[in-house]
Amino acid sequence: MKTFKYFLRGGITCFLTVGLCIASLAQQKQKPNIVLILVDDLGFSDIEPYGGQDLRTPNISRLAKEGTIFKEFYNNSICAPTRASLLTGQYPHKAGVGYFNVNLGLPAYQGFLNKESLTLAEVLQQGGYSTILSGKWHVGDDKDQWPAQRGFERSFGFIGGASNYYEINDSANADVQLYRNNQPYYLPKDQYLTDAITDNALGFLDEQAKDKKPFFLYLAFNAPHWPLQAVPEDIATYKGVYKDGWDSLRVRRYRQAIAKGVIDRDQALAAHDEALQPWSKLTYDEQQYWQYRQEVYAAMIDHVDQSIGRLLGKLKELKKDQNTLIIFLSDNGAQGGNNLRLYTQRTSGPVGSAGSYEVQNSNWSQTGNSPLRNYKGTPYEGGISAPFIAWLPGAVRAGRIVKGTGHLIDIAPTLYEVAGVKYPAVYNGFKANVLPGQSLLPVLSGKTDTVSRKDAIYWERGGNLAVRWGKWKLVQLANAPKKYELYDLSADRAENNDLSKQHPQLVEQLKHQYEEWALKNDVVDYSRLRPQNNFSANERRL
């Protein structure tokens, strides 16, 4: 596998090509460091580079300005399946997490990463990298499935799908269940979890600097996932920002996304979710309550951006800022719709405080996913599309917005090519699953605008399925198993106009392609696997 190459000195910018560049890292006996930043439940326009100009994200905006951003980048619509694909380069069923981190009785739905699906840490460690994780895991609950057992030499965070951001109890009865390098860790009172995740990541980087080899850091923030808890000073900076409500902000973000260039000018705004009450119909007190919730949510995103600023400062301090690839993305769209769960019975304090267990609601989440349709957990664009930003000075093209049409399965082959690391056919006696994705390097280098792939991209989760093939997208929902929808995303990324009746042959063709993919990836009819009430406790960890 060829090594990622770039030119460091002389003021000459050497753009990445797949194969040849003026000076190579291999010749300098350097390989690029890699930082993979994953945020949780962040909507498409929940950051400034994608239209969220009401939010203060200067450090993410810097990465976008100095790097390349994708208009189209796909995840798996929900936490655990997304992480399974991100960490292994496999579709989630092939990796063993076809539904969630619960065991539904088949290998494709066992709820943790199988041994045949190698993690980024396992492959990069074999290739000479130090491997670090700080943050959320969510792809294996038992200790033999934890990060340290899947290739991470240094690790900190929590294992499940959600966590409070503040500790309320004492160390003997900790509310925030954390670990550090396989050992229990107690979050100090009044420390915010986003800060603890960042502190440990930066501390690990200080330790790793003594290793004299490149590093891979997987920085997996849980923000802005519920519960709605934030730093009071951050909340205060957004006071009054959302007084005009969700209806106007949804339209404003749509227009700002067009102005930014991440949505084409001829694209429409997704149809309004008719289940949501218009802002103008709320009483004054209701408006005060709801705008404060959004102020808390914005503060959670703001604090992640501050943490990224701290990371950039640490890289500069360690003199590694010029040879570190950073990728930023979200695991799914903002939460809402049928996937919404309320936890008010567990709330012991007001929204934003340590005792809050409130969830982001559909009203503001429709704004977060604007201009796309629907929410987390669905195969519509609002559920499976998220920001994607790549940054590496002098190598990744700066200030560029591309169509992209990338997917999580493309990240592993990209990083292995960047690192010059060979993906093994056999690892620890297990035959490794073949990687189905494509390297993103031709896009990041400026050689092309869109990922070139022979096959379609596929989704299935909880009976919801989709196929993306060229400009076409086929959708079927679990609650309408005999109805197929077809959208031309080149003209209708908002998925307002179902063209299935106009193109019945294309629908049949995409259905057939999906069936072949499902068979190859051990996907089964969800109605045969639907979890019963005994799984409800696990599902609360969404």
Side-chain angles (χ1 to χ4, degrees), residues 37-50 55 57 60 75 79 83 221-226 253 297-298 300-302 304-305 308 328-335 360 365 368-369 376 381-389:
I37 302 174
L38 184 69
V39 291
D40 204 330
D41 286 8
L42 184 86
F44 181 84
S45 62
D46 268 336
I47 54 174
E48 191 272 336
Y50 281 78
L55 290 138
T57 56
I60 298 173
N75 51 61
C79 301
R83 284 165 171 73
F221 292 106
N222 59 320
H225 191 288
W226 58 259
R253 283 201 183 172
Y297 183 77
M300 296 169 76
I301 297 171
D302 189 310
V304 168
D305 186 81
I308 292 173
F328 173 93
L329 70 161
S330 177
D331 65 343
N332 43 250
Q335 179 167 343
Q360 179 75 338
S365 291
N369 293 332
K376 167 184 175 179
E381 294 291 283
I384 61 175
S385 294
F388 177 92
I389 302 170

Side-chain angles (χ1 to χ4, degrees), residues 72 115 252 278 328 333 405 446 453 463 473 516 521 532:
E72 298 179 358
K115 298 295 186 181
R252 189 159 66 248
F328 173 93
T405 320
R453 66 179 89 243
K473 183 179 175 187
E516 289 187 335
N521 285 273
Q532 303 303 314

Side-chain angles (χ1 to χ4, degrees), residues 191-208:
Q191 185 177 26
Y192 190 55
L193 181 55
T194 298
D195 287 332
I197 290 171
T198 308
D199 290 347
N200 277 272
L202 303 189
F204 285 147
L205 290 182
D206 282 331
E207 292 178 12
Q208 189 278 334

Side-chain angles (χ1 to χ4, degrees), residues 262-425:
V262 294
I263 292 291
D264 294 339
R265 292 190 175 276
D266 58 354
Q267 291 281 3
L269 177 63
H272 189 274
D273 184 343
E274 295 303 324
L276 304 183
Q277 188 173 10
W279 182 260
S280 61
K281 299 295 184 181
L282 301 181
T283 67
Y284 172 81
D285 288 335
E286 286 174 329
Q287 289 183 354
Q288 297 305 302
Y289 170 75
W290 285 108
Q291 68 174 293
Y292 184 73
R293 291 175 69 103
Q294 183 65 4
E295 290 166 11
V296 173
Y297 183 77
M300 296 169 76
I301 297 171
D302 189 310
H303 211 82
V304 168
D305 186 81
Q306 295 174 42
S307 295
I308 292 173
R310 292 177 59 199
L311 169 68
L312 292 170
K314 176 60 69 174
L315 292 176
K316 185 173 183 179
E317 174 191 325
L318 296 174
K319 296 181 172 53
K320 295 182 178 181
D321 55 315
Q322 295 301 304
N323 71 320
T324 298
L325 170 67
I326 297 178
I327 292 176
F328 173 93
L329 70 161
S330 177
D331 65 343
N332 43 250
Q335 179 167 343
N338 292 332
N339 188 51
L340 181 64
R341 290 168 171 79
L342 296 176
Y343 300 86
T344 52
Q345 71 275 14
R346 300 177 62 176
T347 291
S348 60
V351 174
S353 72
S356 167
Y357 220 72
E358 296 286 343
V359 184
Q360 179 75 338
N361 293 81
S362 301
N363 38 41
W364 288 116
S365 291
Q366 185 179 222
T367 293
N369 293 332
S370 180
L372 308 178
R373 177 180 178 180
N374 223 281
Y375 312 98
K376 167 184 175 179
T378 76
Y380 292 113
E381 294 291 283
I384 61 175
S385 294
F388 177 92
I389 302 170
W391 177 90
L392 175 53
V396 172
R397 291 284 295 271
R400 190 162 174 258
I401 298 173
V402 298
K403 182 179 180 182
T405 320
H407 186 277
L408 295 162
I409 59 173
D410 301 326
I411 289 180
T414 302
L415 298 189
Y416 300 152
E417 186 168 3
V418 162
V421 172
K422 182 178 176 59
Y423 181 73

